[in-house]
Amino acid sequence: MVHACTDLSQGGAPEKDAKKIEKELEQITKYFGTLCGDVPRVQADLKRFAEDLDRRSYALIRFCMADDSDYNKVFKSMVCGQLFSR
Amino acid sequence: MTSILECMIEESQGLPHEVVDVILAQFMRADPRAAGGSKKKSAQTNEADAAQSTVPLAQYSAAYNMAKNVANTCVDRMARYVSQYFTNVIMNASSPSTDRPKKAKGRNARRGSSPADDEDMEEPTGPDEEGLKQLERAHRLLRELWKAAPGVLQNVIPQIEAELAVENVDIRIIATETIGDMASGIGVAGPPPAPLMDPAMYPSMTLSTAANQTSTWSGASLPSAPQAFSQTHPVTYSNFISRRQDKSPSIRAAWTTSIGRILSTSAGGIGLEAQEQRDLVGYLAEKVLDSDEKVRVAAVECVSQMRFLDIINVIGLTGGIGEAGSVLYNIGMMAKDRKVAVRNAIFSLLGRLWGVASGEIAEGNERIRNLFGGIPSLVFNAVYTNDPAIKQQVEEVLYESFVPMGWPALKKRNKIASDSQEVSGSQSGGAISIEAQADKLRTERILTMFRDLDTRAKPVFIAMVSQQRIIGDNCKIYLKKCEEYNVSLDFRDGSCMY
């Protein structure tokens, strides 16, 4: 099992990758923060969302953002998927 | 029974104050909060009643009508007793709480209103707080008396006028609100529920459907003044009007709210003279620009609670969104207000207004287009302040009011038609499918909005649309990072999912 995990981390030390990923996550959440104007709060919220690992929400957001989704698909994934209540 | 009581009142030397209390207490029956739990004083019941307080009373009770008839028939006598009653209340309200007699308790038990007496003397409330509550209750009664039997207040009105000039701000507020409500014909039941202005409704509001907005106003909550307060008590009224320049912002805010009510009820159904109406609307326009945030918010709120038709006919008197000095123009200018509360109120109002008016604008109604067509430009131009909070509000207005998500909510005509659409998305018998119809309507709405955008606003809108793709791409990156992050968390924990 340990070997399998190591393989998955693509050969590098897992700790270093984790730090790198966290830094990248921080960068992207900062981008969204500057869109909304309240950087620390947005960053904290988005980080919590990241920790939740709510796969259904991820899928719904992907539908919303996909280039080939039409209006209805976007609308349904936002409303019927209750995206914002999660 | 009414006739017997009338005879007794006319012919007696004097009525004991308990009798006067009972008669006056009947007027409080029009208050939905008192109607349900007259004997109960528990906080729970009062909360439940407060939730019901927006349900208007369908008709007045027999006891109310009896008291009303008695008061109207024996006007002079009752005027004397009522005046004495209010003098006592005002004196009680000003005196320290320990001196306040059980008389107040008895009155409240009959009226069955709030549990102020049960608020225990464990924590001694300052005399003013308790007194203020009593004063408020008495003034609520005053509003109802004005509606039912204005004649009995002939000696009380000067007392209220005197209250307008006292040092204490709370008392001035109570007096201002009372006179405003009397002029609007609002009684103890309070103002009627604000009419709904939903930008996402489909079909969009038209001038003819707008007339039905207040069809639910009836019974005790229907604002109806028996006489024009401004004509019956001109000095008091003019003193009330001068409160617009009161040094306290709370009073100016209360005054602004009252003016909004007078305008939207047309002085309780009596009607305002053209010049007076123009004057009041002009004052409202000034209040939108007041130095204090509270007053500005009150001014914007009172427009947002008016019916659509009133906004067109009354507020529109001073001109549309593009005409300097008009209420709408001033509201538009304040969209860049530095106070968040004012901005929120303004964006919400403007968004809803345009959303509701969009139907008529699309149909070609020039008047409505002149009044409201400039709203989207104004909203988009606010983005030039480079404030991210404002930009966020602009986006909200766009997605909730200008072109709401899910608009239009078309109903499927019948199950058979919808089934055939789901199968292949094809057209049935030459009719346009629901989706295509919705797309068409939505496109028309966007185009209607776009048509009236000025040269500065157009690039803002186009930029917002193109930014969607960038944000979408960034969201995908974010989600990918989320997943990677979770994987890295698993490693850190020492456990592994795979």
Side-chain angles (χ1 to χ4, degrees):
Chain A
M1 194 165 97
V2 170
H3 279 305
C5 290
T6 317
D7 283 342
L8 270 171
S9 77
Q10 291 162 11
E15 298 83 24
K16 240 204 255 169
D17 270 351
K19 277 213 173 72
K20 186 170 154 235
I21 289 172
E22 203 170 328
K23 198 153 173 254
E24 284 168 357
L25 188 65
E26 215 178 284
Q27 271 179 335
I28 189 95
T29 52
K30 199 172 172 192
Y31 165 77
F32 285 113
T34 48
L35 281 186
C36 299
D38 186 0
V39 182
R41 194 176 70 111
V42 169
Q43 277 191 303
D45 285 345
L46 288 177
K47 188 147 187 217
R48 213 174 44 235
F49 181 74
E51 280 158 13
D52 281 345
L53 190 56
D54 181 355
R55 292 205 184 273
R56 183 149 186 260
S57 290
Y58 291 6
L60 290 170
I61 295 176
R62 285 204 174 102
F63 282 144
C64 283
M65 301 296 165
D67 295 337
D68 55 358
S69 296
D70 71 353
Y71 183 86
N72 257 326
K73 196 167 179 189
V74 172
F75 174 61
K76 282 189 179 134
S77 56
M78 278 169 95
V79 172
C80 309
Q82 293 174 321
L83 191 54
F84 295 119
S85 62
R86 289 163 187 269
Chain B
M1 255 191 14
T2 314
S3 327
I4 297 174
L5 198 50
E6 282 163 14
C7 282
M8 275 185 56
I9 295 175
E10 286 290 345
E11 293 177 21
S12 65
Q13 298 285 340
L15 278 185
H17 71 80
E18 284 93 356
V19 177
V20 177
D21 283 356
V22 170
I23 296 178
L24 291 180
Q26 305 318 309
F27 290 101
M28 297 301 272
R29 285 178 187 270
D31 184 358
R33 284 164 288 192
S38 54
K39 296 277 157 48
K40 300 171 205 157
K41 289 185 194 169
S42 70
Q44 232 174 349
T45 316
N46 279 329
E47 268 169 31
D49 285 346
Q52 290 289 309
S53 68
T54 51
V55 175
L57 279 187
Q59 56 188 12
Y60 294 105
S61 63
Y64 178 99
N65 286 327
M66 190 167 144
K68 180 176 166 182
N69 291 334
V70 163
N72 278 315
T73 317
C74 319
V75 177
D76 295 327
R77 285 277 176 142
M78 286 304 295
R80 209 164 16 114
Y81 297 130
V82 167
S83 161
Q84 222 165 31
Y85 171 92
F86 279 105
T87 313
N88 289 340
V89 168
I90 291 172
M91 258 171 46
N92 275 343
S94 328
S95 65
S97 57
T98 44
D99 289 354
R100 221 159 274 133
K102 292 173 213 151
K103 185 170 152 179
K105 268 199 178 158
R107 194 179 300 139
N108 289 340
R110 270 183 224 110
R111 211 173 303 152
S113 51
S114 89
D117 312 319
D118 291 344
E119 266 173 30
D120 243 321
M121 312 300 158
E122 303 149 346
E123 277 171 2
T125 53
D128 281 309
E129 206 182 305
E130 170 88 18
L132 275 179
K133 283 191 180 137
Q134 290 196 8
L135 204 57
E136 267 176 36
R137 271 198 295 276
H139 281 68
R140 277 178 27 220
L141 173 59
L142 264 180
R143 288 162 164 92
E144 197 59 38
L145 279 173
W146 174 260
K147 258 183 102 160
V152 306
L153 295 182
Q154 36 183 296
N155 301 327
V156 182
I157 302 290
Q159 292 181 47
I160 309 180
E161 192 182 335
E163 283 180 342
L164 284 178
V166 305
E167 269 303 309
N168 185 304
V169 173
D170 293 315
I171 297 182
R172 284 210 311 278
I173 293 181
I174 293 175
T176 308
E177 288 172 345
T178 306
I179 297 183
D181 280 355
M182 287 202 284
S184 316
I186 292 173
V188 74
L196 184 63
M197 275 219 295
D198 182 9
M201 66 190 280
Y202 180 79
S204 295
M205 199 180 281
T206 59
L207 290 180
S208 44
T209 54
N212 295 335
Q213 261 186 316
T214 45
S215 53
T216 51
W217 291 5
S218 65
S221 69
L222 176 70
S224 65
Q227 344 174 314
F229 191 89
S230 53
Q231 313 272 324
T232 320
H233 299 281
V235 176
T236 311
Y237 188 71
S238 109
N239 204 335
F240 159 75
I241 294 286
S242 70
R243 288 306 96 211
R244 79 178 191 277
Q245 284 158 336
D246 194 291
K247 59 182 189 285
S248 157
S250 311
I251 300 210
R252 294 201 303 275
W255 183 88
T256 308
T257 311
S258 302
I259 290 300
R261 289 179 186 174
I262 296 178
L263 282 171
S264 60
T265 58
S266 252
I270 301 252
L272 290 162
E273 278 178 37
Q275 186 54 45
E276 195 188 345
Q277 199 179 48
R278 265 196 295 273
D279 287 343
L280 291 182
V281 178
Y283 297 148
L284 193 59
E286 276 171 25
K287 290 304 139 212
V288 175
L289 302 176
D290 192 278
S291 53
D292 190 281
E293 168 194 0
K294 266 195 290 237
V295 185
R296 297 199 295 277
V297 171
V300 176
E301 290 285 314
C302 76
V303 176
S304 73
Q305 286 175 355
M306 288 187 172
R307 296 180 310 163
F308 188 49
L309 279 181
D310 287 333
I311 299 180
I312 297 172
N313 296 327
V314 177
I315 300 295
L317 276 180
T318 48
I321 195 102
E323 292 176 48
S326 70
V327 177
L328 291 171
Y329 179 83
N330 288 350
I331 291 180
M333 270 196 358
M334 289 293 114
K336 297 173 201 161
D337 196 301
R338 60 189 184 285
K339 297 285 180 183
V340 175
V342 185
R343 279 202 316 259
N344 285 345
I346 289 179
F347 275 116
S348 161
L349 167 63
L350 289 181
R352 281 183 303 131
L353 260 183
W354 189 89
V356 167
S358 62
E360 283 286 329
I361 296 177
E363 291 297 317
N365 187 322
E366 280 305 315
R367 188 166 163 228
I368 305 239
R369 192 178 167 190
N370 286 336
L371 281 176
F372 307 121
I375 288 178
S377 290
L378 217 125
V379 170
F380 288 129
N381 283 337
V383 171
Y384 284 109
T385 53
N386 281 330
D387 181 341
I390 292 186
K391 178 143 187 275
Q392 203 184 1
Q393 272 177 314
V394 169
E395 282 172 3
E396 268 179 42
V397 168
L398 176 60
Y399 293 118
E400 285 174 13
S401 301
F402 287 168
V403 192
M405 281 295 295
W407 189 88
L410 292 178
K411 293 198 175 62
K412 297 204 157 90
R413 294 255 159 69
N414 52 53
K415 211 168 171 235
I416 303 159
S418 69
D419 280 349
S420 67
Q421 278 152 28
E422 275 166 29
V423 167
S424 57
S426 62
Q427 303 178 357
S428 51
I432 307 174
S433 75
I434 295 281
E435 277 179 26
Q437 214 178 351
D439 284 343
K440 178 169 172 267
L441 287 166
R442 209 175 303 116
T443 314
E444 269 177 14
R445 186 153 168 164
I446 297 175
L447 288 173
T448 309
M449 181 188 74
F450 195 76
R451 178 179 61 169
D452 288 325
L453 287 183
D454 63 22
T455 39
R456 288 181 79 218
K458 279 190 176 123
V460 173
F461 176 64
I462 293 172
M464 279 172 80
V465 173
S466 26
Q467 206 187 19
Q468 280 179 346
R469 169 160 291 210
I470 300 173
I471 294 180
D473 289 340
N474 277 311
C475 265
K476 288 180 206 164
I477 297 175
Y478 167 67
L479 289 180
K480 188 153 166 272
K481 291 295 151 206
C482 284
E483 286 178 342
E484 286 174 14
Y485 178 68
N486 272 287
V487 168
S488 73
L489 274 185
D490 292 334
F491 280 132
R492 227 181 290 159
D493 288 345
S495 65
C496 194
M497 306 273 285
Y498 301 99

